[in-house]
Amino acid sequence: KYRFELTMQSEDLRQKWIKTADHEKVWPLIENTLTDKEFSKEIKVVMEERRMRTDDEPQSLMNEIMMATVYQEHPYHNPVIGWMSDLQSMTYADANDWYQRWYAPNNAIIVVAGDVVASEVFALAKKYFGALQSKSLSARKPQDEAGQRGIRRISVKAPEKPIVIELNINIKQEVVYRLAGDAAQTIDKNAEIF
């Protein structure tokens, strides 16, 4: 799964299966085994996923355009999956460079929640990930968004039922309200709407 600032591999397990889980699934997050030939196939899968989840889904398409409008300078301007033009021009070398720069055990977090024994979880983590070497990470640059100087509006025409209307109020550079159809949230009466 992908969010704005992370790559996530999740497993939902019953407590009794935690010791037998395929922890090796997480290994690609640490060790790149993808070849150039495999990349050529996988990038096509990613392009189809983008078409299916964004380009052919009016609400997702509207949300993507809205984020690109709200955030002019911040990386949130760009969709996590990438613009189609990015995917079409991406090479194995591009993907591998990104991987080598950011995928490291010292840039990863393991989260375990539920009915578990902490000492057993720590022992498993040490067994599967303890030998991995940390590596030097690129310095992160500030990702600030300049102040908004006026109204930003978008209109997206695509077949959608029911009609979706989104209102985003930017307070201290955070999009805090989202209205979609009948599932409207109450807007803070102190918020200024222009």
Side-chain angles (χ1 to χ4, degrees):
K1 293 181 180 179
Y2 299 93
R3 299 288 186 262
F4 286 117
E5 298 174 351
L6 60 95
T7 303
M8 180 174 62
Q9 171 72 34
S10 64
E11 297 290 329
D12 294 325
L13 303 169
R14 295 203 182 278
Q15 198 274 343
K16 64 182 178 181
W17 294 333
I18 196 165
K19 292 180 185 174
T20 60
D22 186 6
H23 300 287
E24 304 286 324
K25 282 184 179 180
V26 181
W27 198 261
L29 293 176
I30 307 301
E31 183 177 322
N32 184 15
T33 58
L34 191 67
T35 66
D36 191 11
K37 186 177 179 180
E38 291 168 329
F39 173 81
S40 303
K41 293 177 186 175
E42 287 299 318
I43 196 69
K44 289 180 177 123
V45 171
V46 174
M47 284 188 239
E48 183 55 32
E49 182 179 324
R50 184 193 155 74
R51 279 185 208 97
M52 190 173 68
R53 293 188 178 178
T54 304
D55 299 342
D56 295 341
E57 286 290 329
Q59 192 166 353
S60 297
L61 184 62
M62 182 175 72
N63 191 57
E64 179 181 85
I65 294 169
M66 184 267 308
M67 292 298 285
T69 304
V70 169
Y71 294 101
Q72 300 287 300
E73 299 171 28
H74 193 279
Y76 290 174
H77 173 87
N78 299 303
V80 173
I81 199 167
W83 302 104
M84 186 59 84
S85 59
D86 294 332
L87 299 174
Q88 290 167 336
S89 64
M90 185 180 290
T91 65
Y92 170 75
D94 296 330
N96 192 51
D97 177 59
W98 177 264
Y99 175 87
Q100 296 299 331
R101 190 173 332 142
W102 297 111
Y103 282 56
N106 51 311
N107 201 26
I109 298 172
I110 297 174
V111 177
V112 178
D115 184 19
V116 296
V117 177
S119 59
E120 290 177 8
V121 172
F122 281 108
L124 286 168
K126 188 173 183 177
K127 175 182 174 183
Y128 288 101
F129 308 111
L132 299 174
Q133 298 296 313
S134 63
K135 61 183 179 182
S136 178
L137 297 170
S138 300
R140 293 179 187 246
K141 297 176 183 175
Q143 304 290 322
D144 296 330
E145 179 75 17
Q148 186 169 321
R149 295 178 182 241
I151 296 172
R152 296 178 189 162
R153 291 189 178 130
I154 63 168
S155 178
V156 179
K157 295 185 187 233
E160 175 74 353
K161 292 183 182 179
I163 295 172
V164 175
I165 298 172
E166 285 196 21
L167 167 65
N168 292 278
I169 302 171
N170 194 335
I171 300 174
K172 295 184 182 176
Q173 300 306 312
E174 295 179 22
V175 178
V176 294
Y177 295 106
R178 185 171 185 206
L179 307 178
D182 295 330
Q185 299 173 5
T186 302
I187 297 176
D188 181 346
K189 291 184 170 120
N190 297 322
E192 292 183 37
I193 302 174
F194 300 94

CSV table of all heavy atoms in Angstrom, one decimal, residues 129-170:
chain,number,residue,atom,x,y,z
A,129,PHE,N,15.4,-9.6,10.6
A,129,PHE,CA,15.9,-8.3,10.2
A,129,PHE,C,17.2,-7.8,10.9
A,129,PHE,O,17.8,-6.8,10.5
A,129,PHE,CB,14.9,-7.2,10.3
A,129,PHE,CG,13.6,-7.6,9.7
A,129,PHE,CD1,12.4,-7.9,10.4
A,129,PHE,CD2,13.5,-7.7,8.3
A,129,PHE,CE1,11.3,-8.3,9.9
A,129,PHE,CE2,12.3,-8.1,7.7
A,129,PHE,CZ,11.2,-8.4,8.5
A,130,GLY,N,17.6,-8.5,11.9
A,130,GLY,CA,18.8,-8.1,12.7
A,130,GLY,C,20.1,-8.0,12.0
A,130,GLY,O,20.9,-7.2,12.3
A,131,ALA,N,20.3,-8.8,11.0
A,131,ALA,CA,21.6,-8.8,10.2
A,131,ALA,C,21.6,-7.8,9.1
A,131,ALA,O,22.7,-7.5,8.6
A,131,ALA,CB,21.8,-10.2,9.6
A,132,LEU,N,20.5,-7.1,8.9
A,132,LEU,CA,20.5,-6.1,7.8
A,132,LEU,C,21.4,-4.9,8.2
A,132,LEU,O,21.3,-4.4,9.3
A,132,LEU,CB,19.1,-5.7,7.5
A,132,LEU,CG,18.2,-6.8,7.0
A,132,LEU,CD1,16.8,-6.2,6.9
A,132,LEU,CD2,18.7,-7.3,5.7
A,133,GLN,N,22.2,-4.4,7.3
A,133,GLN,CA,23.1,-3.3,7.6
A,133,GLN,C,22.4,-2.0,7.2
A,133,GLN,O,21.7,-1.9,6.2
A,133,GLN,CB,24.3,-3.4,6.7
A,133,GLN,CG,25.2,-4.6,7.1
A,133,GLN,CD,25.7,-4.6,8.5
A,133,GLN,OE1,26.2,-3.6,9.0
A,133,GLN,NE2,25.5,-5.7,9.2
A,134,SER,N,22.5,-1.0,8.1
A,134,SER,CA,22.0,0.3,7.8
A,134,SER,C,22.8,1.0,6.7
A,134,SER,O,24.0,0.5,6.5
A,134,SER,CB,21.9,1.2,9.1
A,134,SER,OG,23.2,1.4,9.6
A,135,LYS,N,22.3,2.0,6.1
A,135,LYS,CA,23.1,2.7,5.1
A,135,LYS,C,22.9,4.2,5.2
A,135,LYS,O,21.9,4.6,5.8
A,135,LYS,CB,22.9,2.2,3.7
A,135,LYS,CG,21.5,2.3,3.2
A,135,LYS,CD,21.4,1.6,1.8
A,135,LYS,CE,20.0,1.7,1.2
A,135,LYS,NZ,19.9,1.0,-0.1
A,136,SER,N,23.8,4.9,4.7
A,136,SER,CA,23.7,6.4,4.7
A,136,SER,C,22.5,6.8,3.8
A,136,SER,O,22.3,6.4,2.7
A,136,SER,CB,25.0,7.0,4.1
A,136,SER,OG,24.9,8.4,4.1
A,137,LEU,N,21.7,7.7,4.4
A,137,LEU,CA,20.5,8.2,3.6
A,137,LEU,C,20.7,9.6,3.1
A,137,LEU,O,21.4,10.4,3.7
A,137,LEU,CB,19.3,8.2,4.6
A,137,LEU,CG,18.8,6.8,5.1
A,137,LEU,CD1,17.8,7.0,6.2
A,137,LEU,CD2,18.3,5.9,4.0
A,138,SER,N,20.1,9.9,2.0
A,138,SER,CA,20.2,11.3,1.5
A,138,SER,C,19.6,12.2,2.4
A,138,SER,O,18.6,11.9,3.1
A,138,SER,CB,19.5,11.3,0.1
A,138,SER,OG,20.0,10.5,-0.8
A,139,ALA,N,20.1,13.4,2.5
A,139,ALA,CA,19.5,14.4,3.4
A,139,ALA,C,18.2,14.9,2.8
A,139,ALA,O,18.0,15.0,1.6
A,139,ALA,CB,20.4,15.7,3.4
A,140,ARG,N,17.2,15.0,3.6
A,140,ARG,CA,15.9,15.5,3.2
A,140,ARG,C,15.9,17.0,3.1
A,140,ARG,O,16.3,17.6,4.1
A,140,ARG,CB,14.8,14.9,4.1
A,140,ARG,CG,14.6,13.5,4.0
A,140,ARG,CD,13.6,13.0,5.0
A,140,ARG,NE,13.5,11.5,5.0
A,140,ARG,CZ,12.5,10.8,4.6
A,140,ARG,NH1,11.5,11.4,4.1
A,140,ARG,NH2,12.6,9.5,4.6
A,141,LYS,N,15.3,17.5,2.1
A,141,LYS,CA,15.2,19.0,1.9
A,141,LYS,C,13.9,19.4,2.4
A,141,LYS,O,12.9,18.7,2.4
A,141,LYS,CB,15.4,19.3,0.4
A,141,LYS,CG,16.7,18.9,-0.2
A,141,LYS,CD,16.8,19.2,-1.6
A,141,LYS,CE,18.1,18.7,-2.2
A,141,LYS,NZ,18.2,18.8,-3.6
A,142,PRO,N,13.8,20.7,2.9
A,142,PRO,CA,12.6,21.2,3.4
A,142,PRO,C,11.5,21.2,2.2
A,142,PRO,O,11.8,21.4,1.1
A,142,PRO,CB,12.9,22.7,3.7
A,142,PRO,CG,14.3,22.8,3.8
A,142,PRO,CD,14.9,21.7,3.0
A,143,GLN,N,10.3,20.8,2.6
A,143,GLN,CA,9.2,20.7,1.6
A,143,GLN,C,8.1,21.6,2.0
A,143,GLN,O,7.0,21.2,2.2
A,143,GLN,CB,8.7,19.2,1.6
A,143,GLN,CG,9.8,18.2,1.3
A,143,GLN,CD,10.3,18.3,-0.1
A,143,GLN,OE1,9.6,18.5,-1.1
A,143,GLN,NE2,11.6,18.1,-0.3
A,144,ASP,N,8.3,22.9,2.0
A,144,ASP,CA,7.3,23.9,2.5
A,144,ASP,C,6.5,24.3,1.3
A,144,ASP,O,7.0,24.4,0.2
A,144,ASP,CB,8.0,25.1,3.2
A,144,ASP,CG,8.7,24.7,4.4
A,144,ASP,OD1,8.2,23.7,5.1
A,144,ASP,OD2,9.7,25.3,4.8
A,145,GLU,N,5.3,24.7,1.6
A,145,GLU,CA,4.4,25.2,0.6
A,145,GLU,C,4.2,26.7,0.8
A,145,GLU,O,4.0,27.2,2.0
A,145,GLU,CB,3.0,24.6,0.7
A,145,GLU,CG,1.9,25.0,-0.2
A,145,GLU,CD,2.1,24.5,-1.6
A,145,GLU,OE1,2.8,23.5,-1.8
A,145,GLU,OE2,1.5,25.1,-2.5
A,146,ALA,N,4.4,27.5,-0.2
A,146,ALA,CA,4.2,29.0,-0.1
A,146,ALA,C,2.8,29.3,0.3
A,146,ALA,O,1.9,28.5,0.0
A,146,ALA,CB,4.7,29.6,-1.4
A,147,GLY,N,2.6,30.4,0.9
A,147,GLY,CA,1.2,30.9,1.2
A,147,GLY,C,0.4,31.0,0.0
A,147,GLY,O,0.8,31.4,-1.1
A,148,GLN,N,-0.9,30.7,0.1
A,148,GLN,CA,-1.8,30.9,-1.0
A,148,GLN,C,-2.2,32.3,-1.2
A,148,GLN,O,-2.5,33.0,-0.2
A,148,GLN,CB,-3.1,30.0,-0.7
A,148,GLN,CG,-4.1,30.0,-1.8
A,148,GLN,CD,-5.1,28.9,-1.6
A,148,GLN,OE1,-4.9,27.9,-1.1
A,148,GLN,NE2,-6.4,29.3,-2.0
A,149,ARG,N,-2.2,32.8,-2.4
A,149,ARG,CA,-2.4,34.2,-2.7
A,149,ARG,C,-3.8,34.5,-3.3
A,149,ARG,O,-4.1,35.6,-3.8
A,149,ARG,CB,-1.3,34.7,-3.6
A,149,ARG,CG,0.0,34.7,-2.9
A,149,ARG,CD,1.1,35.2,-3.9
A,149,ARG,NE,2.4,35.1,-3.2
A,149,ARG,CZ,3.1,36.2,-3.0
A,149,ARG,NH1,2.8,37.4,-3.3
A,149,ARG,NH2,4.3,36.0,-2.3
A,150,GLY,N,-4.6,33.5,-3.4
A,150,GLY,CA,-5.9,33.7,-4.0
A,150,GLY,C,-6.7,32.4,-4.1
A,150,GLY,O,-6.2,31.3,-3.7
A,151,ILE,N,-7.9,32.5,-4.7
A,151,ILE,CA,-8.8,31.3,-4.8
A,151,ILE,C,-8.2,30.4,-5.9
A,151,ILE,O,-7.7,30.8,-6.9
A,151,ILE,CB,-10.2,31.8,-5.2
A,151,ILE,CG1,-10.8,32.6,-4.1
A,151,ILE,CG2,-11.0,30.6,-5.5
A,151,ILE,CD1,-12.1,33.3,-4.5
A,152,ARG,N,-8.3,29.1,-5.6
A,152,ARG,CA,-7.9,28.1,-6.6
A,152,ARG,C,-9.1,27.3,-6.8
A,152,ARG,O,-9.7,26.7,-5.9
A,152,ARG,CB,-6.8,27.2,-6.1
A,152,ARG,CG,-5.5,28.0,-5.9
A,152,ARG,CD,-4.4,27.1,-5.3
A,152,ARG,NE,-3.2,27.9,-4.9
A,152,ARG,CZ,-2.3,27.5,-4.1
A,152,ARG,NH1,-2.3,26.3,-3.7
A,152,ARG,NH2,-1.3,28.3,-3.8
A,153,ARG,N,-9.6,27.2,-8.1
A,153,ARG,CA,-10.8,26.4,-8.4
A,153,ARG,C,-10.5,25.4,-9.5
A,153,ARG,O,-9.6,25.7,-10.3
A,153,ARG,CB,-11.9,27.4,-8.9
A,153,ARG,CG,-12.4,28.3,-7.9
A,153,ARG,CD,-13.7,29.0,-8.5
A,153,ARG,NE,-14.2,29.8,-7.4
A,153,ARG,CZ,-14.5,31.1,-7.5
A,153,ARG,NH1,-14.3,31.7,-8.7
A,153,ARG,NH2,-15.0,31.8,-6.5
A,154,ILE,N,-11.1,24.3,-9.4
A,154,ILE,CA,-11.0,23.3,-10.5
A,154,ILE,C,-12.4,22.8,-10.9
A,154,ILE,O,-13.4,22.9,-10.1
A,154,ILE,CB,-10.2,22.1,-10.1
A,154,ILE,CG1,-10.8,21.3,-8.9
A,154,ILE,CG2,-8.8,22.5,-9.7
A,154,ILE,CD1,-10.2,20.0,-8.6
A,155,SER,N,-12.5,22.3,-12.1
A,155,SER,CA,-13.8,21.7,-12.5
A,155,SER,C,-13.3,20.5,-13.3
A,155,SER,O,-12.5,20.6,-14.3
A,155,SER,CB,-14.5,22.7,-13.4
A,155,SER,OG,-15.7,22.1,-13.9
A,156,VAL,N,-13.9,19.4,-13.0
A,156,VAL,CA,-13.5,18.1,-13.7
A,156,VAL,C,-14.8,17.6,-14.2
A,156,VAL,O,-15.8,17.4,-13.5
A,156,VAL,CB,-12.9,17.1,-12.7
A,156,VAL,CG1,-12.5,15.8,-13.4
A,156,VAL,CG2,-11.6,17.7,-12.0
A,157,LYS,N,-14.8,17.3,-15.5
A,157,LYS,CA,-16.0,16.7,-16.2
A,157,LYS,C,-15.7,15.3,-16.5
A,157,LYS,O,-14.8,14.9,-17.2
A,157,LYS,CB,-16.3,17.5,-17.5
A,157,LYS,CG,-16.7,18.9,-17.2
A,157,LYS,CD,-17.1,19.7,-18.4
A,157,LYS,CE,-17.3,21.1,-18.0
A,157,LYS,NZ,-18.5,21.7,-18.3
A,158,ALA,N,-16.5,14.4,-15.9
A,158,ALA,CA,-16.4,13.0,-16.1
A,158,ALA,C,-17.7,12.4,-15.6
A,158,ALA,O,-18.4,12.9,-14.7
A,158,ALA,CB,-15.2,12.4,-15.3
A,159,PRO,N,-18.1,11.2,-16.2
A,159,PRO,CA,-19.4,10.6,-15.8
A,159,PRO,C,-19.3,10.1,-14.3
A,159,PRO,O,-18.4,9.3,-14.0
A,159,PRO,CB,-19.6,9.5,-16.8
A,159,PRO,CG,-18.2,9.2,-17.3
A,159,PRO,CD,-17.4,10.5,-17.2
A,160,GLU,N,-20.2,10.6,-13.5
A,160,GLU,CA,-20.2,10.2,-12.1
A,160,GLU,C,-21.6,10.3,-11.5
A,160,GLU,O,-22.2,11.3,-11.7
A,160,GLU,CB,-19.2,11.0,-11.3
A,160,GLU,CG,-19.2,10.7,-9.8
A,160,GLU,CD,-18.6,9.4,-9.4
A,160,GLU,OE1,-18.2,8.6,-10.2
A,160,GLU,OE2,-18.4,9.2,-8.2
A,161,LYS,N,-22.1,9.3,-10.8
A,161,LYS,CA,-23.4,9.4,-10.1
A,161,LYS,C,-23.1,8.8,-8.8
A,161,LYS,O,-22.6,7.7,-8.6
A,161,LYS,CB,-24.4,8.6,-10.9
A,161,LYS,CG,-24.8,9.2,-12.2
A,161,LYS,CD,-25.9,8.4,-12.9
A,161,LYS,CE,-26.2,9.1,-14.2
A,161,LYS,NZ,-27.2,8.4,-14.9
A,162,PRO,N,-23.5,9.4,-7.7
A,162,PRO,CA,-24.1,10.7,-7.7
A,162,PRO,C,-23.0,11.8,-7.9
A,162,PRO,O,-21.9,11.5,-7.9
A,162,PRO,CB,-24.6,10.9,-6.2
A,162,PRO,CG,-23.7,10.0,-5.4
A,162,PRO,CD,-23.4,8.8,-6.4
A,163,ILE,N,-23.5,13.0,-8.2
A,163,ILE,CA,-22.5,14.1,-8.4
A,163,ILE,C,-21.7,14.4,-7.1
A,163,ILE,O,-22.3,14.3,-6.0
A,163,ILE,CB,-23.3,15.4,-8.8
A,163,ILE,CG1,-24.0,15.1,-10.1
A,163,ILE,CG2,-22.4,16.6,-8.8
A,163,ILE,CD1,-24.9,16.2,-10.6
A,164,VAL,N,-20.5,14.6,-7.3
A,164,VAL,CA,-19.6,14.8,-6.1
A,164,VAL,C,-19.1,16.2,-6.1
A,164,VAL,O,-18.7,16.8,-7.1
A,164,VAL,CB,-18.4,13.9,-6.2
A,164,VAL,CG1,-17.4,14.2,-5.1
A,164,VAL,CG2,-18.8,12.4,-6.1
A,165,ILE,N,-19.2,16.9,-5.0
A,165,ILE,CA,-18.7,18.2,-4.8
A,165,ILE,C,-17.7,18.2,-3.6
A,165,ILE,O,-18.0,17.7,-2.6
A,165,ILE,CB,-19.9,19.2,-4.4
A,165,ILE,CG1,-20.9,19.2,-5.6
A,165,ILE,CG2,-19.3,20.6,-4.1
A,165,ILE,CD1,-22.2,20.0,-5.3
A,166,GLU,N,-16.6,18.8,-3.9
A,166,GLU,CA,-15.6,18.8,-2.8
A,166,GLU,C,-15.3,20.3,-2.5
A,166,GLU,O,-15.2,21.1,-3.4
A,166,GLU,CB,-14.2,18.1,-3.2
A,166,GLU,CG,-14.3,16.7,-3.2
A,166,GLU,CD,-13.0,16.0,-3.2
A,166,GLU,OE1,-12.0,16.6,-2.9
A,166,GLU,OE2,-12.9,14.8,-3.6
A,167,LEU,N,-15.2,20.6,-1.2
A,167,LEU,CA,-14.8,21.9,-0.8
A,167,LEU,C,-13.6,21.7,0.2
A,167,LEU,O,-13.7,21.0,1.2
A,167,LEU,CB,-15.9,22.6,0.0
A,167,LEU,CG,-15.6,23.8,0.8
A,167,LEU,CD1,-15.2,24.9,-0.1
A,167,LEU,CD2,-16.8,24.3,1.6
A,168,ASN,N,-12.5,22.3,-0.1
A,168,ASN,CA,-11.3,22.1,0.7
A,168,ASN,C,-10.9,23.5,1.2
A,168,ASN,O,-10.8,24.5,0.5
A,168,ASN,CB,-10.2,21.5,-0.1
A,168,ASN,CG,-10.4,20.1,-0.5
A,168,ASN,OD1,-10.2,19.2,0.3
A,168,ASN,ND2,-11.0,19.9,-1.7
A,169,ILE,N,-10.8,23.6,2.5
A,169,ILE,CA,-10.4,24.8,3.2
A,169,ILE,C,-9.0,24.7,3.6
A,169,ILE,O,-8.7,23.8,4.4
A,169,ILE,CB,-11.4,25.2,4.3
A,169,ILE,CG1,-12.8,25.2,3.8
A,169,ILE,CG2,-11.0,26.5,5.0
A,169,ILE,CD1,-13.8,25.3,5.0
A,170,ASN,N,-8.2,25.6,3.2
A,170,ASN,CA,-6.8,25.6,3.5
A,170,ASN,C,-6.5,26.5,4.7
A,170,ASN,O,-6.5,27.7,4.6
A,170,ASN,CB,-6.0,26.1,2.3
A,170,ASN,CG,-4.5,25.7,2.4
A,170,ASN,OD1,-4.0,25.6,3.5
A,170,ASN,ND2,-3.9,25.6,1.2
